[in-house]
Amino acid sequence: MMQGWIQIGLTLIIILAITPIFGGYIARVYLGQRTFLDRVLNPVDRLIFSLSSVQPQAQMTGWQYARAILFSNLAMAILLFLMLMLQGFLPLNPTGLGAPSWDTALHTTISFMTNTNQQHYSGETTYSYFSQMLGLGFMFFTSAGTGIAVAIAFIRGLTGRPLGNFYVDLTQAITRILLPISIVGSIVLVAAGTPETLAGAIVVPTLENPNISQSIAIGPIAHFEIIKELGENGGGFFAINSAHPFENPNGLTNLIQILAMISMPTSLIYTYGVIADNRKQAWLVFGMVFIIYVAFIIVTAVGEYQGNPLVNSILGSSQPNLEGKEVRFGWAQSALYAVTTTGTMCGAVNAMLDSFMPAGGFILLSNLFLQIIWGGQGTGTAYLFSYLILAVFVTGLMVGRTPEFLGRKIEKNEVVLTSFLLLLVHPICVLFPGAITLAFPEQLGGISNPGFHGLAQVVYEYASAAANNGSGFEGLADSQPVPTALWWNLSTCFSLLGGRYVPIVALLLLAEGMSQKQPVPFTTGTLRTDTVLFTSVTAGVILIMGALTFFPVLALGPIAEGFQLLRGA
Amino acid sequence: MISENLVTIWQVWCRRKYPTYLFLALCLNLVFASTVFAATGDAFSRSQVYALGVLGIGTVCLSIYLFVVMFQPERF
Amino acid sequence: MKINLSNIKPVPRNNRYARRDTPTAALEGLYQRAIRDAFRKLDPRIAVGNPVMFLVWVGTIVTFLVTLDPNLFGTVQADPNQQRLLNGAITIILFLTVIFANFAEAVAEGRGKAQADSLRSSRSDTIAYKLLPDGAISQVNSTELRKGDRVIVKIGELIPADGEVVIGVASVDESAITGESAPVLKQPGTDIASSVTGGTKVVSDELTILITADPGQGFIDRMIALVEGAKRSKTPNEIALTVFLAVLTQVFLIVVATLSPLANYVNTPVTIAILVSLLVALIPTTIGGLLSAIGIAGMNRVAQFNVIATSGRAVEACGDVNTLILDKTGTITLGNRLADEFIPVNGHSVEEMAAVALAGSLFDETPEGKSIVQLAEKLGAKIDFSRTQATGVEFSARTRMSGTDLPNSIEIRKGAIDAIRGFVRSRGGTIPSKFDDAYEQVSKLGGTPLGVCKDGDLYGVIYLKDIVKPGLKERFDQLRRMGVKTIMLTGDNRITASVIAQEAGVDDFIAEATPEDKIDVIKREQSQGKLVAMTGDGTNDAPALAQANVGVAMNSGTQAAKEAANMVDLDSDPTKLIDLVAIGKQLLITRGALTTFSIANDIAKYFAIIPTIFAAAGIGTLNVMGLKSPQSAILAALIYNALIIPALIPLALNGVKFRPLTADQLLQRNILIYGLGGVIAPFIAIKIIDVLLPIA
């Protein structure tokens, strides 16, 4: 048992250590300060800008920035969709895969474009190397870069700067942050034992009967893995994702994957501190999320460690719940990985989330509902600071002034955008399709588990789509050619798009509005937002506003399931 | 003469927009409720389905009303 | 009038306005009228204006329908009579919730109306004598008067509308608006004394008045409209809060609307009545029901301070003010300088000088003169001549001296240093160097030196001192703690100004200020993003009053100043600006506190309702309050939800207690009371109601 906790503790310490280093680096990149990669990358950037005729100095308004995101993403989506549909005619297709069904291709396109990587297919039997490497791999970088660009534009707006230029921010996110780390990271992963090859599946005779041969799928995995984690993408090369021994062979690769997926969202909070010149606030906000994160890990890990009471009563002793887990990771690393992947909206898994105990299921769902226990690439950080704005609005009146955040008054527009963004989009994208599916479970759902767990599966699927996470509770008949796949593919597209672009547009308009406000000078009558008191108030607002909305769902899902299990039914 | 009357009736009709909306909602319900009725089978009686349909449309109207409040709060 | 900032009461003591306008009869009728209004507000066209309550109202209709027929929306398993009973109870409670919220608003409006009624009585249509261009006089109704008309008002008549005196001198009784019983002299030409207000009464002579306001636009009309809440438009803050409440309501509407399929899927169906109850319990009914009452009550509080605000926006802006610009004279100091010390020269003793000063000020009716007499008498000085045989010499701008001619043709003079010096020389006296030292010393202290002489004999210098109003320093300290900076404006020189500034404890001062400086200071502060409040009365204050975010004109001031300002103080007390800041803050705090309280309540309501209605799903353990049954839990939560509205009406109307603390202290305090209290209180209250409810 101690070993498990030590693994978790060490990982947390490393996270604490890299946050300021990495966060500081991102801030330097976006403040236009000198970084060690400048000499190599400045000419590259210039080449990219001149080839794409982007004027790097041109500032964008919030709406222009949003339009740039929407149109560039649309163009990329069309390209990817065509690529997937035509993969039969394209090279690098050693296994000779044909075109997927149109709805699967559409869902895959939208899912990867929105940085979600929800997969209603098995990678190794659906998409060719060309589709995976060039098509999906391309989206790995651009969708993650889009998220970073949004976060940076948002931070700039909050601190009263012009928002910047989307194309420049996106390019720099890829060339300065994602690519360099991915190159180094994939080499480390290869060294640690992850395969990287363009050869087709390996055909070997089985051990039991040498006359029967089996083919073992392999491919260019290492470079795919690192950006999968770093960009909070999470779409696995193989169907079982990071539980596959080729994707995640050992404890070292597992550690690297956890660090890769959590490093961006944690560091972006610090980046805010540097750009806003208020590191104290950054650390307080970081601390608030960190405490919730650790609490979530503990609840999940304890649940897994104690195991299933029904199984324990048969065994006669308490054993960890290892069903759906890789023995090489055990309960501790599986729990840590699961809380991290749902918190950061990565969505990669090294154990089947469906098999977690109800306590874990509760936490994983809560992560998807809250969306800020680190949160998605860039957007999570922006949500976090939007929550600060909301908390300022709700409680700030109590100091007898119009609420202010960073010296800027929170007025009607800010309230419309923040409350819409934080409170309304998610319930609409999760509860509506969820309710429709559960109203017609046979016709639409194809749910493997009836009762409370089935409800959790359905809600999880939409929550994962709307939060742009991509992991699944599985057990849903959502892959072609089953009849319910069409409904799943199309209805999750609604959640994917709504959960991605509505908040992004709202965030950018919010940032634009904040940047244009005349700052009010700070006095003793101004509410300080960088205090322990205010940060605790924010935590309260997050829990009441973010979690209470979904309390009935949690009660009818994992909570009811947990009590059911305790009663021994 | 008749055309004039028709015009007058049409104008009165246009002015009374709330009854129009109500009428359209009930028409919509006719379609909506029948679908629900067909889908649920024996669980509900015909009148219950119509009542549920009205309730559903009412809820959607309330939701639209709340969106109007959100984006044009000055009107309230 | 002196009000302690830290202890604002709804009706301040010693308030002339309050004395005039709290007839008990009006208050008795208030509640009856409010109850009538509460039902009148059920009209959907009115109810639609309050989104949260409108939803409750619609919910009431739905639960009423399922009371009539429990199987309306689907066959219910339970005994239909029992269902009918439960649904009926829910309907009644929801209906009461709406009524309570309407009642809160109606009471707030009613209190405003009570104030307005007494004003309206003075405004009732009067007959006006309009002066036609050809010199003829025609009798018209006061409502027919337009801007630019001239009217003649004789003794005993009401002035028909706001205007300027163009001909005549008369005393006017303004008690109808100021509560001040002493009549005021009105005459043309002078800035302050020429403006008259509609509804006031001429008590001597006759005036010709140029009307400056169209009917319905005058002060009284504006005041009536505002205190009644009739023409109330939402303030920016209220609008933001309305949006927020609409979003919350929308969220919970979605949560509840989608709950039914989820519950059916896990075989724990819920009835429509229970879903409506859950919705009503979750949406922020407390703040939704009290929001408009808080706003109206804020306006009333301003009116009770005898200030007319032209908009709620201005009242709210008071809370946000960063900088107060205050005139020295009349605001920070008592209007007049008072004698503080006699500094004798030429070998005279203080007593000798006091006697001369007393003699010289005998006929001086100015406050300065009276204060000299007072000081001299305190020092034991007496006059040694018959008062009737002496004659007073009045101050004139030319001589810059005043004094007394004694019977034996001795002339005593006091006045500006230069003038006295000239007078002494002309009488053959000499000026000792000590005299110059004395007056320089007085100047350095920020005082005004007055020379005193008896013929050619120079007696010394009287030290006239500016007296800072008592208690001001403490209030400026409080303002500083709240983050409000004070800037003093004065025409005095730098030295004088700095002495007074230090004594009064203002943060900054502008010496030798011209009216133009005022507007420059405002613009400078505003360019730094600050909100500025100021008071003014003269015509040349008008641009600055218009520029300031909160401009308070004195009622004694000119029409131009009043037009430019967004508030008018009927008592003409410039110090009231400080009280207005407190009222503005109190208004915002009340709104924030009730919002926080309302939202924090949701936790308890969730824990009361969800575990009990989904008891079939086996989550009964979450029923931490141990409520008896689903029916009892729902009714208890709804009863709490309904009763908390009337319980908080006094708080909404009177405002939360305001303390001049820093923002962090205020947040800490209010979060504890309204945030944490809002989480805990409903747990206790719902449990108690559950125990008291006579159902299983």
Side-chain angles (χ1 to χ4, degrees), chain A residues 97 137 183 220 229 257 287 302 323 350 377 417 467 501 551 567:
Chain A
L97 296 166
I183 292 170
E229 308 291 348
Q257 293 200 354
V302 167
E323 130 83 21
N350 75 350
Q377 184 85 312
L417 291 170
Y501 294 105
F551 183 69
R567 282 194 309 275

Side-chain angles (χ1 to χ4, degrees), chain A residues 281 284-285 288 388 529-540:
Chain A
Q281 178 160 47
L284 279 168
V285 171
M288 172 185 81
L388 284 183
T529 53
D530 56 353
T531 59
V532 175
L533 173 68
F534 183 77
T535 312
S536 322
V537 169
T538 310

Side-chain angles (χ1 to χ4, degrees), chain C residues 356 359 676:
Chain C
V356 173
L676 212 58

